[in-house]
Amino acid sequence: MSETHTSLTPVTLRQTDEGRFRRALHSLIHGRVLLYLALAVIALIYILPFVIQIATSFKSDADAAANPVSLIPEVWTTAAYRRLFLNSDFPVWFKNSVIVTLVVTAGRVFFDSMAGYALSRLRFPGRNLIFTLLVAVMSVPMVVLLIPKFLIIKTLGIYDSYLGMILPLLIDASGVFIMKNFFESIPRSVEEQAMIDRAGTFRIFWSIVLPMARPALVTITILSFQGSWNELSHFIVSTQSPALTTLTKGVASLASGQLSAGSQYPIKLAAAAVMTIPVAVLFFAFQKRIMNTSEGSVKE
């Protein structure tokens, strides 16, 4: 009887390994292509309404009504923007939003960082209770607080004023929460030398710890700017005078028919497009620095 013996030569082994590698590479490329296609579809669904908004803002009223989702206007015109800036209260709305947003953003960055530092570093009675209440406030829908907020503003005599628009927004529970968590990630050793030199608590916070919290500060700045710029419900219950109308209230009034009867979409979408620009510019300018914790690390 003859016995057949098959052995794998180095060439056969190499061909087998190459085949496995090709199959794995093909599978990986196929999976990535499907992933990128899915991401592209999601991005298109998300971006398309914004593109339609920009295109419609440069249409005539008749073109917008006849071709509402067309991406290319029949005739490019800036009539909606001219009417918005020259024949409406839009500049007043824009000014009010800029004033309120800048003051609220600066106030939130300062007060949120101080409160976060106090909750993370200082030991005082009721500290844990305060933090628990802070987290509880974050879980409460803001619409529930509108009536109490209105009553407090009226009682303090600051209704229909810049103070009433700004003061209740100067501190934010989520901002305090973010700052507290970031300060806790900074080693206490960075403050020991200042304590030896008898530096005060505020001096340590301001000169040593706060500069290390730059990533968290950038995050708080962007979130505060976006939140106050897009705020609507608070301004509804805190103001009544047309002279104090912000962009959110003004654009909402446009959508409900002010300045444009019927379906005159270009002026409405032009207002929405201008309103979007400041937040978009701020986000794209600082997006790489949002919570980049490596900037706050301690070098040994």
Side-chain angles (χ1 to χ4, degrees):
M1 296 177 63
S2 61
E3 191 176 304
T4 303
H5 178 72
T6 304
S7 61
L8 295 176
T9 64
V11 175
T12 305
L13 289 173
R14 185 164 55 251
Q15 291 175 347
T16 302
D17 292 340
E18 289 178 355
R20 291 175 180 174
F21 176 75
R22 289 194 186 97
R23 287 194 297 270
L25 182 61
H26 177 74
S27 177
L28 178 61
I29 294 176
H30 182 69
R32 287 195 173 185
V33 169
L34 292 178
L35 176 62
Y36 290 149
L37 286 176
L39 292 176
V41 171
I42 294 173
L44 181 63
I45 294 174
Y46 184 81
I47 296 174
L48 186 59
F50 181 74
V51 176
I52 293 176
Q53 169 185 292
I54 298 297
T56 304
S57 68
F58 289 99
K59 296 178 181 179
S60 63
D61 292 338
D63 185 16
N67 306 290
V69 295
S70 172
L71 298 180
I72 302 177
E74 290 184 356
V75 178
W76 290 85
T77 176
T78 59
Y81 290 94
R82 292 197 303 270
R83 184 179 179 189
L84 194 65
F85 283 98
L86 301 178
N87 299 318
S88 74
D89 293 329
F90 188 84
V92 176
W93 306 342
F94 194 90
K95 180 198 70 173
N96 291 333
S97 288
V98 169
I99 293 173
V100 172
T101 299
L102 292 180
V103 176
V104 169
T105 300
R108 282 189 179 180
V109 171
F110 181 68
F111 292 117
D112 287 357
S113 59
M114 282 205 306
Y117 182 77
L119 290 173
S120 65
R121 287 292 196 263
L122 305 183
R123 297 291 182 266
F124 54 89
R127 184 173 72 103
N128 293 332
L129 177 60
I130 292 176
F131 182 69
T132 302
L133 293 175
L134 183 73
V135 175
V137 170
M138 292 173 59
S139 65
V140 176
M142 290 297 103
V143 67
V144 176
L145 304 177
L146 288 182
I147 294 178
K149 185 182 294 186
F150 169 76
L151 295 176
I152 293 174
I153 291 174
K154 289 286 287 186
T155 302
L156 294 177
I158 57 176
Y159 179 76
D160 217 16
S161 66
Y162 277 121
L163 189 60
M165 298 168 67
I166 293 172
L167 188 60
L169 300 179
L170 282 181
I171 193 164
D172 176 61
S174 60
V176 177
F177 183 81
I178 291 174
M179 295 304 300
K180 176 185 180 297
N181 288 339
F182 192 90
F183 285 137
E184 288 179 343
S185 69
I186 299 177
R188 292 179 179 270
S189 58
V190 301
E191 305 169 53
E192 293 176 355
Q193 184 61 46
M195 293 179 181
I196 294 175
D197 295 338
R198 297 183 178 180
T201 302
F202 185 80
R203 178 66 181 276
I204 295 174
F205 160 74
W206 186 261
S207 301
I208 298 176
V209 180
L210 195 61
M212 299 182 65
R214 188 178 303 168
L217 292 177
V218 172
T219 303
I220 294 298
T221 299
I222 294 177
L223 294 179
S224 299
F225 187 96
Q226 182 183 25
S228 53
W229 183 265
N230 295 330
E231 179 64 44
L232 174 61
S233 59
H234 170 68
F235 299 140
I236 290 177
V237 301
S238 63
T239 60
Q240 180 178 338
S241 172
L244 295 176
T245 299
T246 58
L247 276 176
T248 48
K249 287 184 66 177
V251 172
S253 68
L254 283 179
S256 64
Q258 182 179 333
L259 295 179
S260 52
S263 57
Q264 296 184 17
Y265 300 118
I267 189 172
K268 302 175 184 180
L269 296 182
V274 174
M275 183 179 173
T276 306
I277 292 174
V279 176
V281 170
L282 184 69
F283 178 79
F284 285 114
F286 294 102
Q287 62 174 332
K288 292 184 179 180
R289 301 180 63 179
I290 296 178
M291 293 302 292
N292 182 7
T293 55
S294 62
E295 291 188 14
S297 59
V298 181
K299 295 182 179 180
E300 300 292 343

